[in-house]
Amino acid sequence: AWDALARGDIKEVLYGGAKGGGKSVFGCMWCFAKALEIINECQIAPRKHPIPVGFMGRKRGVDFTNTTLETWKRFIPVNMYEIKSKPAEIIIARRVKILTGGLDNSEVINKFNSAEYAFFFLDQAEEIDVQKVGELRATFRLIINGQKIPGKGLFTANPAPSFLKDEFILNPTPDRLFIQALPTDNHHLGPEYIEVLKDSITSHRQSRWYEEGP
């Protein structure tokens, strides 16, 4: 997924699949890396008012705060960022910031109308309404020091019916790519977790899907 998001011909990636595949961790680390990349490429110095460069969110703000934001705190070096405001604004190296929140908050959605971002990360995206995603996609117009930053979007999701299946699996455009996340991708999980997943799935075919993919 990391390599796919770095490709010039790919604009959006769906990293989806089994629970426990490390998807939220990946999303947080990718957003952090993107922020650092923008700082370096655009030679951004420390600023009194950091530049908004991206957005991280979930359907509900409370779920983002209690899960995804906690994942960020666990895996991103604490000396590299500070968190201010509500919804949280993650300030990276006093130079840029990532806005966060829930797409159930009308104030968050309204900000998309004037926002200019270079990337977004939507966790548990199978829960989100496609119309709200469309408003976020329209924010890809960030220019820093005269340089247009190509927009990138990352969706993470567990298996569930949603717009993602049509857009990334059944009828994907050339700039969208689906990459499957498996529990075995997450080295922090022990073999007992895989066995719990297998025991909770009734059919042999589904059990193999969680281990190997369809």
Side-chain angles (χ1 to χ4, degrees), residues 4-5 7-13 30 120 137 140 150-154 174-177:
L5 284 161
R7 286 169 47 182
D9 62 326
I10 296 298
K11 189 173 183 179
E12 295 181 352
V13 165
W30 177 74
F120 67 75
R137 283 168 166 160
F140 283 165
K152 297 281 183 176
L154 170 64
D175 58 356
R176 290 177 180 155
L177 189 63

Side-chain angles (χ1 to χ4, degrees), residues 4-209:
L5 284 161
R7 286 169 47 182
D9 62 326
I10 296 298
K11 189 173 183 179
E12 295 181 352
V13 165
L14 167 60
Y15 188 44
K19 296 180 180 180
K23 300 183 294 295
S24 297
V25 175
F26 174 81
C28 291
M29 296 182 71
W30 177 74
C31 287
F32 178 61
K34 283 298 294 181
L36 294 180
E37 177 184 296
I38 292 170
I39 290 171
N40 292 330
E41 290 187 355
C42 297
Q43 300 181 343
I44 302 171
R47 301 167 54 93
K48 181 178 180 180
H49 301 292
I51 301 171
V53 294
F55 177 83
M56 298 170 55
R58 281 190 60 169
K59 178 180 180 179
R60 299 201 314 156
V62 64
D63 293 332
F64 177 85
T65 299
N66 292 338
T67 58
T68 313
L69 187 58
E70 289 301 312
T71 298
W72 173 283
K73 294 175 182 177
R74 286 173 55 204
F75 287 91
I76 305 303
V78 68
N79 63 317
M80 290 297 295
Y81 71 91
E82 57 181 320
I83 297 176
K84 294 184 176 181
S85 304
K86 288 187 178 182
E89 294 184 353
I90 304 173
I91 300 171
I92 311 293
R94 296 185 295 121
R95 291 165 169 82
V96 302
K97 64 182 178 180
I98 302 170
L99 280 68
T100 75
L103 300 191
D104 59 340
N105 186 331
S106 60
E107 292 184 10
V108 170
I109 297 296
N110 290 338
K111 288 181 180 179
F112 293 161
N113 293 328
S114 58
E116 298 177 353
Y117 299 144
F119 63 87
F120 67 75
F121 161 42
L122 293 179
D123 203 11
Q124 299 287 104
E126 76 277 7
E127 302 173 347
I128 297 172
D129 184 274
V130 66
Q131 291 182 330
K132 295 179 179 179
V133 174
E135 296 183 50
L136 185 54
R137 283 168 166 160
T139 64
F140 283 165
R141 49 179 181 261
L142 181 62
I143 298 175
I144 301 177
N145 297 333
Q147 180 178 343
K148 174 70 169 63
I149 313 297
K152 297 281 183 176
L154 170 64
F155 301 85
T156 59
N158 293 320
S162 76
F163 72 95
L164 297 168
K165 183 175 182 180
D166 181 65
E167 291 194 354
F168 286 90
I169 300 174
L170 299 179
N171 300 292
T173 55
D175 58 356
R176 290 177 180 155
L177 189 63
F178 167 61
I179 296 178
Q180 189 168 32
L182 302 172
T184 49
D185 295 337
N186 186 349
H187 301 298
H188 296 282
L189 298 177
E192 67 279 358
Y193 181 83
I194 309 300
E195 293 304 316
V196 169
L197 278 180
K198 290 167 66 177
D199 290 343
S200 68
I201 300 169
T202 56
S203 74
H204 175 68
R205 180 181 179 185
Q206 286 178 309
S207 179
R208 289 194 60 193
W209 186 90

